[in-house]
Amino acid sequence: QVQLVESGGGSVQAGGSLRLSCAASGLTFSLYNMGWFRQAPGKEREFVAGMSWSDMSTYYLDSVKGRFTISRDNTKNMVFLQMNILKPEDTAVYYCAGKPGAWSTELRRPYYWGQGTQVTVSS
């Protein structure tokens, strides 16, 4: 079965960095659009960053542009989110997600989700 397993979350002070990783199995990873979402307490889940499988185009939430970078390694079936200059408002559970086919805006309706990893940024 398909599994997406995130790692790399933790606690960091404002201005710090974290790198999230997502290991995928059970799917043809190179044909999947991949993305990261987050959900803060009391808020809806939101799209953070995504990368298409076809041309490696990247897409970002406006508030993370210039601070976060999504990347992928198709040889290892992994997707990453490098998060720099972290702010308290970045605190959330971060989820990896995947969807095959053509890219859809903000990776709408992913087929698969990971279990999430907590990121806490203190001021």
Side-chain angles (χ1 to χ4, degrees):
Q1 72 277 20
V2 175
Q3 280 192 312
L4 301 177
V5 180
E6 302 97 335
S7 60
S11 297
V12 65
Q13 289 191 328
S17 298
L18 284 173
R19 188 190 193 215
L20 305 184
S21 299
C22 173
S25 60
L27 51 75
T28 307
F29 182 77
S30 61
L31 298 181
Y32 270 69
N33 304 296
M34 299 299 298
W36 291 92
F37 292 73
R38 69 186 180 188
Q39 187 167 21
K43 295 187 177 181
E44 292 188 355
R45 190 176 299 187
E46 66 178 351
F47 171 82
V48 175
M51 177 177 271
S52 69
W53 69 267
S54 58
D55 61 4
M56 303 297 181
S57 293
T58 57
Y59 306 86
Y60 295 97
L61 179 69
D62 283 347
S63 62
V64 308
K65 286 180 181 177
R67 300 189 298 121
F68 291 11
T69 303
I70 187 171
S71 61
R72 64 191 293 164
D73 184 340
N74 287 347
T75 67
K76 297 181 179 178
N77 287 5
M78 295 191 73
V79 62
F80 308 97
L81 186 67
Q82 178 66 44
M83 305 186 294
N84 299 328
I85 318 175
L86 282 160
K87 303 177 180 181
E89 52 264 43
D90 295 319
T91 295
V93 177
Y94 283 72
Y95 298 89
C96 173
K99 182 179 181 180
W103 173 261
S104 57
T105 302
E106 297 186 347
L107 198 61
R108 193 164 295 145
R109 298 181 182 174
Y111 280 26
Y112 302 109
W113 292 93
Q115 83 288 348
T117 186
Q118 176 71 46
V119 171
T120 302
V121 184
S122 58
S123 57

